[in-house]
């Protein structure tokens, strides 16, 4: 605050950079804890067990998803941008007539894990081998990213009738992760429901 009042731009930038470094350290520890837990659940209890724990944790956060649902779309986009920024990835947002598109290259959590080889030796975190709704109908889907399928898509459809973040999950670690926020959820194409095992209701 003092550096801002003093209009010391260099000091302010330095302090912000230091804050980001401290946040990244805590963030990365938290993400490793999450992926190791998800991986354990998938390996020991199977993909149904993994889905179960994700559904339970989604229910524990339901009030937050309800708050998102009740926001004007512009506020929802701002809230999403703030949340995604805390993952410390490279992100850009595009807008067209029907939607906002978030492009993460990579996402600072799931995408970074893939690019760092977290699903290969020595960590060998769990992948969902078969194409299922929990993995956006993709084979060998990384377990960490399955929470996006369950919370933001499967459960959102069950609660609100539509996904809140409409994902285009990457096919490889080199691909960016993209998701859309539609200005009118009724215009979300049916294929995005089908990829998580749901049908779009008229």
């Amino acid at each position: 605050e003092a550096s801002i009042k003093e209009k010391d731009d260099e000091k302010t930038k330095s302090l912000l950079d230091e804050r980001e470094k401290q946040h990244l350290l805590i963030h990365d520890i938290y993400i490793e804890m999450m992926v190791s837990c998800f991986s354990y659940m998938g390996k020991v209890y199977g993909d149904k067990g993994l889905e179960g724990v994700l559904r339970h944790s989604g229910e524990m956060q339901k009030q937050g998803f309800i708050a998102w649902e009740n926001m004007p779309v512009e506020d929802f986009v701002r809230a999403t941008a703030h949340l995604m920024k805390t993952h410390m990835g490279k992100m850009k947002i595009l807008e067209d007539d029907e939607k906002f598109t978030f492009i993460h290259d990579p996402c600072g959590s799931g995408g970074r894990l893939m690019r760092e080889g977290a699903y290969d030796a020595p960590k060998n975190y769990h992948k969902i081998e078969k194409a299922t709704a929990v993995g956006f109908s993709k084979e060998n889907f990384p377990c960490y990213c399955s929470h996006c399928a369950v919370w933001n898509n499967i459960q959102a459809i069950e609660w609100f009738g539509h996904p809140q973040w409409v994902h285009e999950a990457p096919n490889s670690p080199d691909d960016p992760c993209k998701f859309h926020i539609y200005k009118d959820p009724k215009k979300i194409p049916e294929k995005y429901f089908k990829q998580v095992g749901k049908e779009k209701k008229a």
Side-chain angles (χ1 to χ4, degrees):
E1 185 178 347
S3 65
I4 294 174
K5 288 181 178 179
E6 294 167 5
K7 297 183 179 180
D8 188 338
D9 294 343
E10 287 300 318
K11 185 176 181 180
T12 300
K13 184 178 183 302
S14 176
L15 289 169
L16 289 172
D17 288 344
E18 183 61 30
R19 187 190 69 170
E20 288 209 350
K21 290 177 184 177
Q22 293 174 0
H23 172 76
L24 183 61
L25 176 63
I26 297 169
H27 170 273
D28 288 354
I29 292 171
Y30 174 69
I31 296 303
E32 285 289 339
M33 288 175 60
M34 284 184 66
V35 69
S36 62
C37 287
F38 292 171
S39 182
Y40 180 85
M41 291 299 299
K43 288 182 177 181
V44 175
Y45 299 104
D47 295 332
K48 280 293 183 183
L50 173 60
E51 180 180 356
V53 76
L54 289 172
R55 280 182 169 276
H56 173 74
S57 56
E59 287 287 346
M60 295 299 99
Q61 303 173 76
K62 186 175 180 180
Q63 291 305 312
F65 293 106
I66 291 173
W68 279 356
E69 189 66 16
N70 291 329
M71 287 181 181
V73 66
E74 293 84 1
D75 290 345
F76 181 31
V77 169
R78 292 187 188 97
T80 299
H82 175 74
L83 176 60
M84 291 294 99
K85 179 65 173 69
T86 66
H87 280 308
M88 310 298 287
K90 294 182 179 179
M91 177 184 71
K92 64 180 178 180
I93 305 170
L94 306 177
E95 181 183 5
D96 60 31
D97 290 341
E98 64 179 6
K99 64 187 180 297
F100 296 88
T101 298
F102 287 70
I103 302 173
H104 308 270
D105 195 9
C107 162
S109 51
R112 181 182 58 78
L113 286 169
M114 286 192 286
R115 291 190 184 181
E116 290 180 353
Y119 294 91
D120 303 318
K123 291 182 178 178
N124 291 314
Y125 286 138
H126 178 65
K127 288 184 177 180
I128 300 168
E129 186 175 345
K130 295 181 180 179
T132 67
V134 179
F136 292 107
S137 298
K138 295 180 182 292
E139 295 179 349
N140 296 311
F141 193 76
C143 67
Y144 175 84
C145 300
S146 62
H147 78 276
C148 294
V150 175
W151 298 348
N152 306 111
N153 289 263
I154 295 172
Q155 287 184 299
I157 292 169
E158 292 170 358
W159 295 331
F160 313 120
H162 62 87
Q164 289 185 317
W165 293 350
V166 180
H167 280 80
E168 294 186 30
N171 292 311
S172 76
D174 294 328
D175 294 334
C177 180
K178 296 196 295 185
F179 66 79
H180 313 289
I181 294 177
Y182 276 76
K183 297 175 182 180
D184 180 357
K186 293 178 182 177
K187 294 184 178 180
I188 297 173
E190 187 176 7
K191 67 178 182 178
Y192 294 117
F193 291 78
K194 288 185 175 180
Q195 72 176 354
V196 290
K198 298 293 185 182
E199 291 186 5
K200 182 177 181 179
K201 295 181 180 179

